Amino acid sequence: MSVKQNRILIYGAGVIGSIYAMRFIEAGLDVTMFARSDRFKTLKEKGLQYHEKGTVKSIKVNVIDTLENDDVYDFIFVTVRYDRAESALLALQDNQSKNIVTMTNNSIGFSSWLDLVGDRLLPAFPGIGGQIKEGVLFARFLPKILVTTVFGEISGLVTERVENLAKIFKTAKLPWAIKKDMRSYLITHSVSDIALLGFLKMDNKIINPDTANNRKTAHEITHTLKAYLRAIQKAGVAINPSAFKIVLTCPDFILDLLFMLWLRTEMVKDMMLPDYASSANNEVVQLNNDLLKFLSQKGITP
């Protein structure tokens, strides 16, 4: 199967789905986006609008708001938050496409997702971010050394479909990596998100950006991250990537300083915008609740 033959559906037209759609379309791939409500209308009428070098550009995109079961794609990318992943997979349950790539967090493993879509499931995690402001995409691409799109079979095998997926990212000139243990990678990443994004909402109120970058908030991140990493280790989950093990031996005051500096970045200020903070908080709450249930079943408390 050559890359040009692949028919791709991006299921979810938020930041992640929009960035992948933009880069795939620019690479000449056959891309369709699934969107609803106002986002569907905007994409239909104005195309996929994005910000680049101070100007707003637009790229034409094929967009649908209804997916028939016999509308078959080589790859369906599910680009929704974790708290919406199960409902998205339920909607795709009867579609006949053979490969469903879940581009989202996961704090417990894949059994419930496998119950819905079976071995069509191919777990992944995006290596991109950004914001959509007034319908315009502001993409954020971090250095490859820091973050990259990862994917891999639950079995750890490098199959033909994994190799074909790699070709898509190579064609789109997006950094990628194949992981042999996606379960441990996603659980570890979920732990980092629970720790790093937990400050977005406190006492049911969106946190003030001017007070978020203090030592107290930074130390809470340090404490939560260390406690949860130790907990998943006790539960038999490998810390992946292994670089996170450094966190467990690093003195608290050094981590506090690093997180204080991170909390003062423009990226974090963008994350505190009400729309983003609210939706991200919903995901973190679900991740945390599910992870605590998973750990509780093993008799472990962070």
Side-chain angles (χ1 to χ4, degrees):
M1 184 190 302
S2 70
V3 171
K4 290 184 178 180
Q5 290 176 315
N6 283 319
R7 189 167 183 248
I8 298 168
L9 176 67
I10 307 292
Y11 192 94
V15 172
I16 303 302
S18 296
I19 295 176
Y20 282 126
M22 176 184 70
R23 293 298 294 267
F24 291 164
I25 293 169
E26 289 176 341
L29 301 177
D30 182 357
V31 177
T32 298
M33 295 186 75
F34 179 93
R36 291 193 175 100
S37 305
D38 291 342
R39 187 62 175 155
F40 170 78
K41 184 179 179 181
T42 298
L43 290 168
K44 195 79 172 176
E45 295 177 355
K46 299 181 179 180
L48 204 171
Q49 295 176 293
Y50 61 98
H51 184 270
E52 183 176 274
K53 297 179 180 179
T55 62
V56 175
K57 299 182 178 180
S58 178
I59 189 169
K60 185 177 180 181
V61 58
N62 182 40
V63 58
I64 60 174
D65 61 355
T66 302
L67 178 65
E68 302 297 336
N69 291 337
D70 59 356
D71 187 9
V72 177
Y73 295 83
D74 293 291
F75 288 97
I76 296 181
F77 289 81
V78 178
T79 56
V80 301
R81 293 189 182 280
Y82 175 71
D83 52 309
R84 298 177 181 175
E86 196 158 308
S87 61
L89 293 176
L90 181 61
L92 295 171
Q93 188 174 30
D94 295 325
N95 183 270
Q96 297 172 24
S97 301
K98 293 183 178 180
N99 302 304
I100 299 177
V101 184
T102 48
M103 285 279 181
T104 189
N105 268 312
N106 185 310
S107 60
I108 54 174
F110 308 111
S111 60
S112 63
W113 292 0
L114 287 167
D115 287 342
L116 293 172
V117 297
D119 60 7
R120 294 181 295 162
L121 181 68
L122 184 58
F125 194 79
I128 51 180
Q131 294 279 321
I132 293 178
K133 301 176 183 178
E134 298 180 353
V136 178
L137 172 66
F138 290 74
R140 182 181 295 115
F141 299 94
L142 295 176
K144 180 180 179 180
I145 193 171
L146 295 178
V147 65
T148 185
T149 299
V150 299
F151 48 87
E153 297 283 3
I154 296 173
S155 66
L157 298 175
V158 179
T159 59
E160 182 180 1
R161 67 174 180 171
V162 166
E163 292 175 341
N164 285 333
L165 189 56
K167 290 177 184 177
I168 290 173
F169 284 95
K170 191 178 297 184
T171 299
K173 297 181 180 178
L174 285 167
W176 55 274
I178 297 172
K179 289 284 181 180
K180 292 188 175 182
D181 187 356
M182 283 300 300
R183 176 177 175 271
S184 67
Y185 179 88
L186 289 172
I187 292 176
T188 303
H189 193 280
S190 294
V191 164
S192 69
D193 271 5
I194 290 167
L196 290 170
L197 302 181
F199 73 92
L200 286 174
K201 208 168 188 179
M202 296 180 180
D203 300 323
N204 212 32
K205 294 181 181 179
I206 300 298
I207 194 167
N208 186 332
D210 297 327
T211 60
N213 55 9
N214 57 39
R215 177 69 179 270
K216 180 181 178 182
T217 305
H219 186 68
E220 183 63 28
I221 293 174
T222 297
H223 173 76
T224 303
L225 186 56
K226 283 191 171 184
Y228 275 62
L229 286 175
R230 292 190 183 104
I232 64 171
Q233 268 192 325
K234 288 181 181 178
V237 177
I239 294 178
N240 183 359
S242 58
F244 270 95
K245 292 179 182 178
I246 297 173
V247 170
L248 296 176
T249 57
C250 186
D252 284 7
F253 77 91
I254 293 178
L255 291 175
D256 291 353
L257 176 60
L258 291 173
F259 290 135
M260 283 179 66
L261 294 173
W262 176 73
L263 286 165
R264 295 173 182 175
T265 62
E266 288 299 319
M267 178 178 73
V268 173
K269 288 180 180 178
D270 284 345
M271 288 162 52
M272 293 183 202
L273 294 172
D275 287 346
Y276 181 91
S278 179
S279 57
N281 180 70
N282 291 338
E283 179 178 37
V284 169
V285 168
Q286 186 72 53
L287 284 169
N288 190 52
N289 289 343
D290 287 350
L291 181 61
L292 289 177
K293 288 178 184 177
F294 166 71
L295 294 173
S296 176
Q297 290 170 357
K298 296 181 177 293
I300 298 168
T301 302

